[in-house]
Amino acid sequence: MSVGTFGDYGGQYVPEALMPAVEELADAYERYVLENEDGFVDELRRHLRDFGGRPTPLQRAAALSERYGHDVYLKREDLLHGGAHKLNNALGQVLLAQYMGKERIVAETGAGQHGTATAMACAYLDVDCEIYMGRTDINRQRPNVFRMRTHDAAVNAVDAGSGTLKEAINATLRDWATNVEDTHYVIGSVVGPHPFPSMVRDFQAVISEEAREQAIEQIGDLPEAVVACAGGGSNTMGSFANFLEDESVALYAVEAGGDAITVEEETGVAPHSASLSAGEDGVLHGARTKLLQTEEGQVVESHSVSAGLDYAGVGPELAHLVDQGRVEPVHVDDDAALTAFHRLSQDEGIIPALESSHAIAYLEDADFDGPVVVTLSGRGDKDLDTVIEESERRDVAAAPSMGVFTE
Amino acid sequence: MGERAIRAAFEGGPALVPYVVAGDPDPEATEAYVEALVRGGADVVELGLPFSEPIADGPTIESGIRRALDAGMTPSRYLDLVADLDVDVPIVTMTYYNLLFRYGDGDVEPFVADAAAAGVDGLIVPDLPVEESGPLREACEQHDLALVFIVAPTTTEDRIERIVEQASGFVYVQARLGTTGARADVSEQTYESLDRLPDADVPTAVGFGVSSGEQARAIVAGGADGVVAGSVFVDIVASGENVADRLERTAADIKAGATEASSASSVSEPERT
Ligand SMILES: Cc1ncc(COP(=O)(O)O)c(C=O)c1O
């Protein structure tokens, strides 16, 4: 019988060699994470506070609030150590691997934020670490490649396909299948076989746990909506988890609309990464979920200006919540995300990750009245090269001129 | 044909199960290659239906899959290819779950029905553990197709029991951890896995890394009923030189090794690495 399902989605579609590891992990998840055996959860919370800098602020963004005529609050995960929400999960999983007696960590990364978070957690907890990253992502996220190396992680370039997150996951699954006896795979999002989608959600749920308390304390009420960007969906699930029962709170998963929501039949390329909005039911990387694929079931290469959203799949629980109507999937395109990047940088003094810029950009399309919480999943230092180049190429309105400096 | 045909193929002595990717480099070539493998002594042919995310395969087979996809191989063309094959050994389709799932728009039965009609005798789906296999197993039973499961070096005792109970056709014993790819040695894990398998009435075939008669001899002497060899053949296809001839000769070499081991009544313990 399949376990770890969310409606039709989820499950454990992995090679037999990995099944015992997946079962062992499910058991460890239950004991340590759900039942706090040996004080695991207490230790994790301590690390998140002392090393990670939690809690992160819920900040009212004055300029955005004025622009849109309703209060906009930013959940500042960009202020978490390392500069993205990814540390919540990486620290949780590396610590869990230690509790399980695993000696080696492998991980995939797209934007490099999960890779740096994992490398940081491994340096901090003293575990060996090896990261797989697509060639395209290595080229557009160089600062994070150097950060991983600085923390002494091995970084392997993956040349297959379009060299993005999907290919990095394939490579990491192969490494895991080869070294499964002493190695734990720290998957970076709410994807993969059970227990990963549930476990990563639980590690990221601290975002909405804090945001909900902070909203009640600072606003005196729940927000009208929570808006978060969705790549694999860990930031989204973390931002939504503690609001799921609050029916008055609308939940928006903002996907990467790329250049357009279409598939070029000839090349099999989707110039977007909006698997919740445009995907079909399928099985990839260990789970049944919504996927960008051809009619025959070949997974297509996705596209987004933002490496962390550039993935053809999405977490199974998020897919289920969309089917149920609890989460609304929306998308904004590359240009809108770039514009939002510049707006937040200029108006609020915050350089957002291109991933988070998608969530900010959605405010432009939306029609809210009350206070809205937007998760700022990460900071954008890693994206500066891409932003400068793409803003110039696309003639993004809000972009400052960099020509004199880049000549 | 079907599941019974696969079992029968293991009955006349140790079976050779070669693998090539359908459509690598094109469908016509595949037909000729399968015929060459059968001339070389193949008892069952494992024919890969290419999927874009072959996570259980190593670089050699992944490249073959890439070539086949670039040449336009699809599940329906695959079934046409099988229907056109002019060989009298059972054909086992090796592919990943998403293709079967999508073929019937979320229902795996239509693929199984069409595969059976085209002449496919069994399926190997490496990303489908027994736990998730209910719908596919039902469809396979309905259409008399074998559903082959893999036993890995990491597979626990109670999983082995579950797998052997549910496997049909043969049990695929994964020779080592990792992905597919030709190797020169036989790992200790192979013998351990064979020793751990209960005396079930399903035959066993060892794969992942098999590339020579020497290895085949050691594996059959270790108790296997057959060997699966893939990357060694996909490498020959990739070279583009004298392909059919070399496929036949390599198949014959591996088959000879396997047969030798079974005819030597008192084999000395093979060299273990
Ligand atoms: C800053 C940031 N935000 C969001 C994401 C999207 O991933 P997920 O949807 O899994 O949270 C990433 C992924 O790399 C990221 O780096």
Side-chain angles (χ1 to χ4, degrees):
Chain A
M1 275 313 292
S2 49
V3 296
T5 53
F6 307 94
D8 287 338
Y9 304 108
Q12 296 178 309
Y13 296 84
V14 294
E16 172 57 29
L18 291 177
M19 277 305 287
V22 160
E23 287 179 341
E24 183 193 354
L25 183 64
D27 179 59
Y29 163 59
E30 215 149 280
R31 283 166 40 208
Y32 297 120
V33 183
L34 298 183
E35 288 160 24
N36 194 23
E37 191 174 309
D38 298 343
F40 172 86
V41 176
D42 307 310
E43 183 175 353
L44 176 59
R45 296 223 162 214
R46 198 165 65 243
H47 292 310
L48 281 171
R49 187 191 64 216
D50 299 347
F51 176 69
R54 297 215 76 92
T56 61
L58 181 70
Q59 180 206 346
R60 183 175 178 280
L64 288 185
S65 299
E66 179 152 348
R67 178 179 177 88
Y68 297 116
H70 60 81
D71 281 328
V72 175
Y73 287 84
L74 301 175
K75 180 58 178 163
R76 298 286 309 272
E77 291 299 295
D78 60 316
L79 291 179
L80 186 64
H81 179 46
H85 72 298
K86 297 283 179 183
L87 182 69
N88 299 320
N89 169 49
L91 201 51
Q93 284 200 53
V94 175
L95 187 66
L96 185 66
Q98 270 194 332
Y99 272 60
M100 292 170 69
K102 302 279 178 183
E103 292 160 6
R104 176 175 175 266
I105 294 295
V106 291
E108 90 295 342
T109 196
Q113 289 294 24
H114 173 57
T116 58
T118 305
M120 258 165 25
C122 285
Y124 173 63
L125 295 171
D126 193 20
V127 192
D128 285 347
C129 180
E130 196 156 336
I131 308 286
Y132 291 86
M133 188 169 187
R135 180 72 70 183
T136 305
D137 289 340
I138 284 187
N139 290 335
R140 57 179 166 171
Q141 306 276 270
R142 296 205 67 76
N144 276 340
V145 176
F146 295 133
R147 290 169 77 196
M148 289 182 261
R149 291 292 297 129
T150 301
H151 290 302
D152 210 22
V155 179
N156 302 316
V158 181
D159 287 310
S162 62
T164 58
L165 188 51
K166 164 166 83 67
E167 289 78 22
I169 295 179
N170 291 343
T172 318
L173 280 170
R174 289 173 173 143
D175 182 311
W176 196 28
T178 308
N179 301 295
V180 61
E181 285 163 317
D182 66 351
T183 297
H184 173 66
Y185 177 6
V186 178
I187 206 163
S189 193
V190 286
V191 300
H194 174 75
F196 284 109
S198 303
M199 182 174 72
V200 176
R201 173 206 61 210
D202 290 353
F203 287 145
Q204 292 293 1
V206 65
I207 300 173
S208 51
E209 183 187 313
E210 287 175 7
R212 192 175 184 284
E213 273 173 29
Q214 289 164 323
I216 290 170
E217 198 182 298
Q218 293 171 222
I219 312 170
D221 202 353
L222 292 172
E224 175 181 329
V226 178
V227 178
C229 66
S234 73
N235 167 56
T236 328
M237 283 311 304
S239 299
F240 296 167
N242 288 278
F243 290 106
L244 285 175
E245 317 250 283
D246 300 320
E247 273 162 33
S248 66
V249 180
L251 306 173
Y252 292 89
V254 187
E255 298 195 279
D259 290 328
I261 301 288
T262 53
V263 175
E264 290 158 12
E265 268 303 327
E266 199 164 303
T267 53
V269 172
H272 64 89
S273 309
S275 34
L276 287 170
S277 309
E280 297 276 355
D281 201 358
V283 173
L284 179 68
H285 295 148
R288 182 167 162 185
T289 187
K290 286 186 192 290
L291 278 187
L292 299 178
Q293 53 187 324
T294 65
E295 249 170 64
E296 276 112 22
Q298 307 293 356
V299 182
V300 300
E301 303 295 346
S302 56
H303 162 81
S304 169
V305 69
S306 127
L309 303 183
D310 198 346
Y311 179 54
V314 66
E317 185 175 14
L318 197 52
H320 177 58
L321 289 169
V322 165
D323 275 6
Q324 285 198 312
R326 181 65 188 95
V327 169
E328 181 159 354
V330 294
H331 50 84
V332 303
D333 65 20
D334 286 346
D335 289 347
L338 285 161
T339 302
F341 175 98
H342 293 297
R343 184 173 298 132
L344 201 73
S345 300
Q346 289 161 23
D347 294 354
E348 299 286 356
I350 299 170
I351 297 180
L354 274 175
E355 290 79 8
S356 317
S357 300
H358 283 73
I360 306 289
Y362 179 64
L363 294 175
E364 197 75 12
D365 302 340
D367 191 15
F368 297 123
D369 296 320
V372 172
V373 169
V374 183
T375 305
L376 203 61
S377 58
R379 63 170 195 237
D381 312 38
K382 68 188 179 68
D383 294 319
L384 286 172
D385 281 346
T386 303
V387 169
I388 291 164
E389 195 178 303
E390 293 285 325
S391 300
E392 184 113 313
R393 191 171 73 77
R394 294 160 188 266
D395 200 13
V396 170
S401 169
M402 294 290 174
V404 287
F405 305 109
T406 53
E407 285 313 297
Chain B
M1 297 301 262
E3 122 99 344
R4 211 128 31 84
I6 294 175
R7 278 167 186 261
F10 280 81
E11 270 159 21
L16 169 64
V17 187
Y19 166 98
V20 284
V21 181
D24 172 19
D26 58 65
E28 292 72 33
T30 302
E31 287 180 36
Y33 296 164
V34 170
E35 286 165 19
L37 290 166
V38 172
R39 282 197 303 276
D43 299 286
V44 174
V45 171
E46 203 186 303
L47 198 54
L49 162 54
F51 176 50
S52 59
E53 318 301 320
I55 56 164
D57 287 298
T60 304
I61 291 180
E62 187 184 15
S63 308
I65 287 173
R66 185 60 45 208
R67 287 190 296 272
L69 286 174
D70 287 347
M73 185 43 68
T74 65
S76 5
R77 283 179 205 156
Y78 176 93
L79 295 179
D80 291 344
L81 194 167
V82 173
D84 286 347
L85 280 178
D86 189 19
V87 292
D88 59 0
V89 301
I91 302 293
V92 174
T93 298
M94 142 95 188
T95 194
Y96 291 80
Y97 195 63
N98 195 52
L99 293 192
L100 312 186
F101 186 78
R102 283 313 310 168
Y103 188 90
D105 206 11
D107 178 4
V108 291
E109 195 271 340
F111 180 88
V112 176
D114 289 358
V120 170
D121 300 282
L123 299 175
I124 302 176
V125 188
D127 62 342
L128 188 73
V130 282
E131 283 77 359
E132 303 286 1
S133 68
L136 188 58
R137 227 171 337 119
E138 214 168 279
C140 282
E141 265 163 39
Q142 191 186 331
H143 295 279
D144 187 32
L145 250 61
L147 183 55
V148 173
F149 287 107
I150 295 174
V151 167
T154 41
T155 303
T156 51
E157 297 302 323
D158 59 322
R159 293 192 60 80
I160 286 188
E161 231 163 87
R162 242 180 295 165
I163 291 167
V164 169
E165 207 177 272
Q166 301 189 13
S168 56
F170 64 95
V171 172
Y172 190 134
V173 179
Q174 184 179 329
R176 64 185 75 240
L177 283 177
T179 51
T180 56
R183 301 291 190 98
D185 60 337
V186 177
S187 81
E188 193 57 39
Q189 289 173 335
T190 306
Y191 302 108
E192 283 165 16
S193 293
L194 286 170
D195 288 347
R196 289 195 305 140
L197 279 171
D199 272 334
D201 64 336
V202 224
T204 55
V206 171
F208 275 48
V210 180
S211 67
S212 71
E214 197 70 27
Q215 285 169 302
R217 185 184 311 123
I219 287 166
V220 171
D225 302 308
V227 293
V228 182
S231 293
V232 64
F233 296 117
V234 176
D235 263 334
I236 293 173
V237 172
S239 76
E241 282 166 35
N242 239 344
V243 176
D245 244 25
R246 288 168 62 209
L247 288 176
E248 181 180 339
R249 271 187 285 130
T250 304
D253 173 51
I254 299 176
K255 171 86 176 181
T259 309
E260 234 171 83
S262 77
S263 50
S265 49
S266 61
V267 256
S268 56
E269 188 77 343
E271 200 175 300
R272 297 189 169 189
T273 50

